[in-house]
């Protein structure tokens, strides 16, 4: 009779052997999550330095927000501020998530769900606001809608993963 038949689960030849806990650790599909977070940070930094900060320079700001300008629209000011503030806040949020990720905090799955959901929601809100400005609508190449679809697909994949994954449960929850 072997050890399993006589009820000694986890024992072999009289030695106590720990039972496996299943998949655990920052490997597997979580590697893609890590890569995505780092790529998001790089993208946000590029966006901040190439788009957001230049929009606050006096010449650009004046052309878009001065009522005397041909390019003026009342929504330019709140959109520029909203996008700049969001990009900076989201960059800081990515850093916070990575700290929680590598310290394996139990709040990480909730943070990732917020991360993906907020990214989709802000993308939709930003697109709706930008489309209210005729000049911005004319310059749109369809990339905003592509970004929204990409974000929705990302949510459809990763939110269930963080809710149901055995690796996520074993790494961050247990």
């Amino acid at each position: 009779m072997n050890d399993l038949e006589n009820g000694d689960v986890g024992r072999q030849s009289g030695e106590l052997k720990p039972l496996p806990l299943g998949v655990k650790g920052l490997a597997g599909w979580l590697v893609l999550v890590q890569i995505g977070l780092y790529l998001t940070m790089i993208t946000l930094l590029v966006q901040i330095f190439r788009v957001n900060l230049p929009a606050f320079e006096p010449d650009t700001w004046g052309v878009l927000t001065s009522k005397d300008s041909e390019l003026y629209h009342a929504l330019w000011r709140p959109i520029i501020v909203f996008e700049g503030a969001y990009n900076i806040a989201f960059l800081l949020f990515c850093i916070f998530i990575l700290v929680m990720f590598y310290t394996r905090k139990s709040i990480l799955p909730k943070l990732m769900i917020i991360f993906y959901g907020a990214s989709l929601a802000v993308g939709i809100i930003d697109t709706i606001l930008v489309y209210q400005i005729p000049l911005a609508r004319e310059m749109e190449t369809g990339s905003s809608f592509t970004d929204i679809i990409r974000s929705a697909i990302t949510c459809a994949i990763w939110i269930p993963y963080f809710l149901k994954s055995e690796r996520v449960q074993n790494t961050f929850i247990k």
Side-chain angles (χ1 to χ4, degrees), residues 81-103:
V81 171
F82 172 74
E83 287 180 350
Y86 169 76
N87 285 337
I88 291 168
F90 212 57
L91 176 64
L92 295 173
F93 189 49
C94 281
I95 293 168
F96 178 70
I97 288 173
L98 282 168
V99 170
M100 296 296 105
F101 195 92
Y102 292 122
T103 55

Side-chain angles (χ1 to χ4, degrees), residues 38-101:
Y38 284 109
L39 290 176
T40 297
M41 287 176 31
I42 291 167
T43 302
L44 288 168
L45 284 169
V46 169
Q47 183 78 9
I48 290 166
F49 285 102
R50 288 197 177 170
V51 177
N52 300 128
L53 291 178
F56 286 104
E57 291 177 3
D59 292 342
T60 307
W61 182 260
V63 167
L64 297 175
T65 62
S66 173
K67 291 182 181 181
D68 300 330
S69 172
E70 289 181 23
L71 302 177
Y72 171 79
H73 192 281
L75 285 177
W76 274 126
R77 181 173 293 164
I79 288 173
I80 292 169
V81 171
F82 172 74
E83 287 180 350
Y86 169 76
N87 285 337
I88 291 168
F90 212 57
L91 176 64
L92 295 173
F93 189 49
C94 281
I95 293 168
F96 178 70
I97 288 173
L98 282 168
V99 170
M100 296 296 105
F101 195 92

Side-chain angles (χ1 to χ4, degrees), residues 86 90 93 113-123 155:
Y86 169 76
F90 212 57
F93 189 49
I113 291 167
I114 292 168
F115 173 83
Y116 293 122
S119 182
L120 176 60
V122 169
C155 284

Side-chain angles (χ1 to χ4, degrees), residues 10-11 19 22 36 55 71 73 96 101 104-105 110-111 122-123 133 145 148 150 166 168-169:
R11 288 181 165 245
L19 295 173
L71 302 177
H73 192 281
F96 178 70
F101 195 92
R104 300 180 187 200
K105 299 295 184 187
K110 291 176 185 170
L111 293 175
V122 169
I133 302 173
F145 292 111
I148 290 171
R150 183 180 302 120
E166 179 182 346
V168 168
Q169 295 296 314

